[in-house]
Amino acid sequence: MGIQFDESSRMFHLSNRFYSYILKIMENGQPGHLYFGKHVKGNGSFDYLSERAERSMSHYYRENDYSLTLEGVMHEFPAYGNGDFRHPAVTVRQQNGSTISEFEYVSYTVTSGKPKLEGLPATYCEKEDEAETLHLKLKDRVTGVSAELLYTVFRDYPALARSVRFMNEGKEPVWLEDAMSFSLDLPDQDYEWMQFSGAWGRERFLKERRLAKGIQSVESTRGNSSHYQNPFIVLRRPDTNEQTGEAFGFSLIYSGNFLIQAEVDAWDVTRLLIGINPFHFSWKLEPGKIFQTPEAVAVYSDSGLNSMSQTFHNIFRSRLVRGYWRERPRPVLINSWEAMEFNISEEKLLRLAKCASECGIEMLVLDDGWFGKRSNDHQGLGDWDAVRDCLPDGIAALADKVERLHMKFGIWIEPEMLNRDSELFRKHEDWVIRTPERRMSPCRNEFVLDLGRCEVIDYLYDVLSKLLCSAKISYIKWDMNRSITELYSAVLPGDRQGEAFHRYILGLYQLYERLTNRFPEVLFESCASGGGRFDAGLLYYSPQGWLSDDTDAMERLKIQYGTSFCYPLSSFGNHVSMSPNRQLLRKTSLSTRANVAAFGTFGYEMDLTELAPEELNEIKIQVKAMKEKRDLFQFGTFFRLMSPFEGNITAWMVVSPDRKRAIIGWYRFMNEVNAPFHRIRLMGLIPDCRYRVEGSGPQNELVLGGDELMYIGLITTDSSANGGCPPEEMQGGDFDSRLYCLTAEN
Ligand code: DGJ
């Protein structure tokens, strides 16, 4: 790992054993980009990469000098309006209305480790020798605004972190209108663009298309990262698959309005911009003030998409997630929501807890409905200091009773929102986000508190701290059920209203930071009507998140599959729910529901007290198996094997760090008549090891070589494949699933 600067060519070579990232201060003082990809040693200078051409209709940097045109070179930090007509990484609006700026090289320093980003989530180092950071200082001469580009190279990961720290060193205020975290000009357009899109109940479905001339993007304009698009994309070469080929992944560590955009220009150069969405963003920077952008993380892989995802999993799991729960196995829980919704009572909850405890479940989570007058979703939201009358002995007594059943107790909150019909609204209507003299658009009967205001954060911190101190609460499910409309902050002057979305997110992060610091052993799970804010920003505060409100096992395969491209299994909140499923009415077996939910943090969300003894028995076995294997299910190396977006069968696997244990999840949507033979080639095993295969399908109880399992494959053909099988010997049916466990014998 190292960051080298060649004084004579003014070239920076950032590298580790995986990749090289090369940039150069061009003859006009601006930083130009030369290369990002597989590690190269080079022979000193990479100047030959600065290809130049004198083209008709070019706009040149200087008069009577045709050597440099800004539209014809690759940039590191492009501004608009000086001959480069592509979308910029930075726009500074000045008091006279001008938006022209030019950021030129001033100086650089290299520091070991990685600086903390003030008020923002980011990857981190535990030891100085884990990373090196280049601080590249640039300045716009006319406004005096400086930009420090921060690049961190990690020793152990093919990952690069990039953010920008602006400082107004001038005499007049300016407004940042584009302040992108990362911009990268790639020399060609030969990529497939992979995005993870959806809606409520079908979050992060994989969508792919070939990069084309012009602009393609994903973004959020809703105030939260959203169900609709995720702040993560992949560019892969057309022939790249899960196991081979080049891929770049880009994740923005941010939970608010984002933009990830690729612009392919006339000469096939692809400009990637990643950062806060400039749409409705404008940040006033007074002289002497600083603005820090969120961090973007780029991962390079030359060995396929699984390897790219594993890098994200490793770095996010160990250098983004923090604290007590980072490496700890997560408790098996029972959540009250789908079992009871608002119809809760202490008696019902304790009956559920007792039954759960007998099944070996470790925590009861009391979801929505426990506070104020919250007997439905029209009222009570915001009244965190009052317990609902259906829990007459209060939360502390309930938590004690749950603990006496040898379980932990967790609770649901939605601190950012409130109902009109709540004490909080009656007392502090002025804290609600609304535009003067305009109506407010409700969503789920809720309105939004202005988290950009210090007094709102202080209030929420106090009321939630009191709640957490008042009872033995081991877990918090932090929900958020609407986006922001009629945005306006009553505490900001007119020329600062463009800051309101970002200030909201900064307030959210501050609240999380204060609460997680004060209650380090409480496990936080983020949620936003399912997966409406499942992003890397929140992973810094809450190590796990509820993936989706769709608990149908088969549909969830797609959600888990799409999510796995960026996020680690330890962050997946998965529950087994009732059949027929509440969202789809689909009937699936208890074992299929558990076999899907097992890959992640595991729980149940159903009324166990209504189940037959055989079903409870099955749950006992599932919970026991989950506890024995959760190190693998939550922290193992994950491989996607077969995609639910491509065929009838989905398969994936996890492998232990020593590669001696593995679990394969196999799932089939519809049964087939007279089906072909099937086998799946496994990944990540030791070729020379002999593995005992245990599971419910063919090849169960065989001992097979790692080489056989990877190069020939695990046979998964049903006994019914030839169509002539007697019914009593037939297996499966629709929505079938199996888990195969492999254990090395040598
Ligand atoms: C939306 C969440 O996604 C659900 O799991 C549940 O907590 C409800 N909110 C409660 O209102």
Side-chain angles (χ1 to χ4, degrees):
M1 168 191 63
I3 296 175
Q4 284 149 13
F5 180 58
D6 179 56
E7 195 75 52
S8 58
S9 57
R10 299 208 293 176
M11 189 154 336
F12 292 90
H13 186 176
L14 289 61
S15 70
N16 59 18
R17 63 184 191 278
F18 309 103
Y19 67 78
S20 288
Y21 188 103
I22 304 170
L23 61 116
K24 171 189 170 63
I25 308 303
M26 299 186 292
E27 60 269 41
N28 66 348
Q30 295 176 17
H33 180 76
L34 294 183
Y35 174 73
F36 182 28
K38 195 173 167 78
H39 176 77
V40 289
K41 280 204 287 294
N43 298 317
S45 170
F46 293 96
D47 258 335
Y48 69 94
L49 290 172
S50 315
E51 288 186 274
R52 299 287 165 86
E54 210 184 302
R55 299 184 205 269
S56 299
M57 291 303 298
S58 286
H59 299 74
Y60 291 99
Y61 188 74
R62 288 189 196 87
E63 289 175 44
N64 303 320
D65 175 355
Y66 306 110
S67 61
L68 178 63
T69 159
L70 295 186
E71 60 192 306
V73 291
M74 299 199 294
H75 294 256
E76 260 324 287
F77 194 57
Y80 168 79
N82 304 298
D84 182 3
F85 298 93
R86 292 164 289 184
H87 281 236
V90 56
T91 301
V92 180
R93 186 163 55 82
Q94 296 137 53
Q95 261 188 328
N96 64 3
S98 163
T99 50
I100 301 300
S101 61
E102 293 197 277
F103 282 84
E104 289 165 8
Y105 175 70
V106 176
S107 61
Y108 82 95
T109 49
V110 174
T111 53
S112 42
K114 184 170 187 297
K116 211 172 148 22
L117 300 193
E118 206 47 52
L120 283 167
T123 53
Y124 60 88
C125 290
E126 289 201 323
K127 296 198 190 104
E128 295 266 291
D129 62 356
E130 286 178 15
E132 260 184 21
T133 301
L134 168 66
H135 307 239
L136 183 64
K137 184 169 174 182
L138 314 172
K139 195 165 177 173
D140 175 49
R141 190 179 49 80
V142 175
T143 58
V145 174
S146 68
E148 190 178 333
L149 312 189
L150 296 164
Y151 300 83
T152 298
V153 182
F154 296 90
R155 184 192 56 205
D156 300 327
Y157 306 103
L160 175 84
R162 160 71 134 82
S163 69
V164 182
R165 191 169 174 268
F166 290 94
M167 182 162 178
N168 187 347
E169 298 177 23
K171 295 201 167 59
E172 291 186 347
V174 296
W175 289 260
L176 296 173
E177 307 217 311
D178 288 279
M180 303 309 278
S181 302
F182 195 10
S183 77
L184 176 65
D185 287 357
L186 294 164
D188 66 82
Q189 66 166 78
D190 198 16
Y191 292 101
E192 292 283 333
W193 160 280
M194 302 169 77
Q195 66 185 57
F196 300 86
S197 308
W200 175 88
R202 52 179 168 87
E203 296 91 338
R204 293 172 301 286
F205 278 21
L206 169 61
K207 308 279 174 201
E208 294 185 81
R209 61 178 180 274
R210 195 66 180 257
L211 276 190
K213 292 264 182 305
I215 285 181
Q216 34 262 289
S217 67
V218 288
E219 65 170 356
S220 172
T221 56
R222 312 174 68 93
N224 53 311
S225 49
S226 92
H227 299 92
Y228 303 89
Q229 308 286 3
N230 196 258
F232 170 69
I233 64 112
V234 178
L235 292 181
R236 68 165 173 85
R237 293 297 187 185
D239 58 355
T240 295
N241 58 29
E242 289 288 9
Q243 262 177 302
T244 59
E246 274 196 314
F248 293 96
F250 300 93
S251 167
L252 183 67
I253 304 182
Y254 191 57
S255 310
N257 287 349
F258 70 90
L259 173 70
I260 305 184
Q261 170 173 303
E263 178 176 5
V264 180
D265 75 8
W267 299 281
D268 296 353
V269 172
T270 299
R271 170 166 298 169
L272 206 66
L273 292 174
I274 304 169
I276 293 179
N277 197 344
F279 181 77
H280 276 255
F281 170 79
S282 165
W283 191 275
K284 184 175 185 185
L285 203 59
E286 297 276 7
K289 294 288 181 201
I290 284 169
F291 180 80
Q292 170 67 55
T293 72
E295 173 170 298
V297 174
V299 165
Y300 171 74
S301 166
D302 66 346
S303 45
L305 294 165
N306 268 320
S307 158
M308 178 211 70
S309 297
Q310 286 158 9
T311 301
F312 275 112
H313 299 169
N314 291 338
I315 193 167
F316 283 180
R317 196 170 52 211
S318 60
R319 291 295 178 267
L320 178 63
V321 170
R322 300 171 299 165
Y324 182 84
W325 284 102
R326 188 175 75 178
E327 273 124 31
R328 281 193 161 73
R330 309 293 162 69
V332 180
L333 60 84
I334 172 88
N335 177 296
S336 65
W337 181 245
E338 287 202 13
M340 302 178 195
E341 293 206 351
F342 296 104
N343 302 318
I344 55 168
S345 70
E346 187 179 287
E347 196 246 318
K348 275 169 79 178
L349 288 163
L350 288 175
R351 249 195 307 131
L352 181 66
K354 183 162 178 297
C355 190
S357 166
E358 283 163 7
C359 292
I361 294 174
E362 298 161 305
M363 181 153 69
L364 172 80
V365 175
L366 170 52
D367 209 281
D368 200 350
W370 60 267
F371 47 88
K373 295 208 164 61
R374 186 74 168 171
S375 52
N376 58 59
D377 65 11
H378 286 258
Q379 60 197 47
L381 192 63
D383 296 340
W384 309 112
D385 46 3
V387 179
R388 205 173 129 203
D389 49 13
C390 59
L391 301 172
D393 294 346
I395 295 298
L398 176 62
D400 285 344
K401 288 175 200 168
V402 171
E403 290 237 342
R404 263 181 252 134
L405 293 168
H406 309 291
M407 290 175 90
K408 297 286 177 199
F409 176 74
I411 205 161
W412 177 97
I413 55 172
E414 190 182 354
E416 300 158 65
M417 313 297 164
L418 75 178
N419 289 131
R420 183 183 283 282
D421 185 2
S422 67
E423 292 311 313
L424 184 61
F425 193 100
R426 284 185 271 279
K427 215 156 132 197
H428 281 297
E429 191 176 342
D430 57 317
W431 287 355
V432 175
I433 292 181
R434 67 186 307 175
T435 301
E437 298 179 51
R438 298 201 181 269
R439 62 172 186 83
M440 299 197 288
S441 304
C443 177
R444 210 189 177 211
N445 316 303
E446 294 174 11
F447 299 103
V448 188
L449 290 170
D450 185 354
L451 263 55
R453 294 172 69 159
C454 308
E455 64 274 38
V456 176
I457 299 299
D458 288 343
Y459 170 79
L460 290 173
Y461 173 71
D462 284 344
V463 75
L464 296 175
S465 297
K466 272 188 202 128
L467 171 67
L468 282 162
C469 289
S470 72
K472 291 191 189 113
I473 296 174
S474 305
Y475 161 106
I476 286 280
K477 177 175 172 186
W478 183 317
D479 204 348
M480 193 284 291
N481 285 298
R482 62 158 294 163
S483 298
I484 299 176
T485 55
E486 289 85 32
L487 176 69
Y488 182 88
S489 178
V491 291
L492 293 177
D495 64 349
R496 282 189 175 275
Q497 287 298 329
E499 300 173 19
F501 270 128
H502 184 56
R503 285 188 182 276
Y504 181 95
I505 295 295
L506 293 178
L508 172 74
Y509 289 154
Q510 196 198 115
L511 184 57
Y512 255 116
E513 181 75 23
R514 287 168 70 180
L515 287 169
T516 49
N517 280 344
R518 174 135 182 222
F519 302 98
E521 291 187 18
V522 172
L523 174 60
F524 282 76
E525 175 155 349
S526 68
C527 172
S529 283
R533 206 167 54 187
F534 196 98
D535 54 58
L538 281 191
L539 267 189
Y540 186 72
Y541 306 99
S542 65
Q544 59 191 59
W546 181 227
L547 283 197
S548 175
D549 277 347
D550 185 356
T551 58
D552 172 72
M554 302 315 288
E555 282 305 298
R556 214 166 166 103
L557 287 173
K558 298 180 196 152
I559 298 168
Q560 290 178 213
Y561 191 90
T563 308
S564 79
F565 277 84
C566 180
Y567 304 99
L569 290 184
S570 57
S571 68
F572 288 25
N574 290 334
H575 298 167
V576 174
S577 66
M578 282 310 259
S579 175
N581 175 262
R582 185 182 129 120
Q583 292 82 30
L584 288 179
L585 302 180
R586 181 179 281 148
K587 290 184 187 155
T588 52
S589 67
L590 190 51
S591 75
T592 284
R593 281 175 273 153
N595 289 347
V596 176
F599 289 81
T601 73
F602 182 77
Y604 292 83
E605 187 156 341
M606 63 204 304
D607 191 351
L608 301 177
T609 65
E610 284 183 355
L611 299 189
E614 317 79 75
E615 290 175 302
L616 286 175
N617 220 21
E618 193 176 338
I619 289 182
K620 264 183 215 160
I621 296 167
Q622 289 173 351
V623 172
K624 184 164 174 285
M626 187 65 202
K627 287 182 185 165
E628 283 164 9
K629 301 195 176 86
R630 64 183 147 190
D631 61 323
L632 260 182
F633 281 129
Q634 294 169 2
F635 299 96
T637 307
F638 184 74
F639 293 85
R640 289 174 299 272
L641 302 174
M642 297 180 81
S643 167
F645 298 105
E646 284 171 14
N648 194 31
I649 291 177
T650 300
W652 53 47
M653 66 187 289
V654 281
V655 182
S656 62
D658 64 2
R659 297 156 76 204
K660 298 228 161 166
R661 290 186 307 137
I663 303 173
I664 296 99
W666 175 96
Y667 314 92
R668 179 175 59 203
F669 279 79
M670 306 312 282
N671 203 1
E672 300 164 293
V673 173
N674 194 7
F677 298 123
H678 288 293
R679 57 178 75 164
I680 316 173
R681 295 212 275 173
L682 306 187
M683 298 185 200
L685 304 176
I686 303 171
D688 294 339
C689 260
R690 310 285 301 159
Y691 291 89
R692 171 165 296 282
V693 182
E694 289 166 287
S696 49
Q699 299 202 319
N700 181 26
E701 295 302 334
L702 284 183
V703 176
L704 297 169
D707 52 356
E708 292 165 77
L709 289 162
M710 290 193 293
Y711 313 143
I712 302 174
L714 176 75
I715 294 194
T716 57
T717 314
D718 273 351
S719 52
S720 58
N722 61 15
C725 179
E728 62 280 8
E729 283 174 30
M730 282 176 71
Q731 293 174 341
D734 296 343
F735 317 130
D736 192 17
S737 72
R738 299 175 203 147
L739 293 185
Y740 292 90
C741 298
L742 309 186
T743 318
E745 297 214 320
N746 58 332

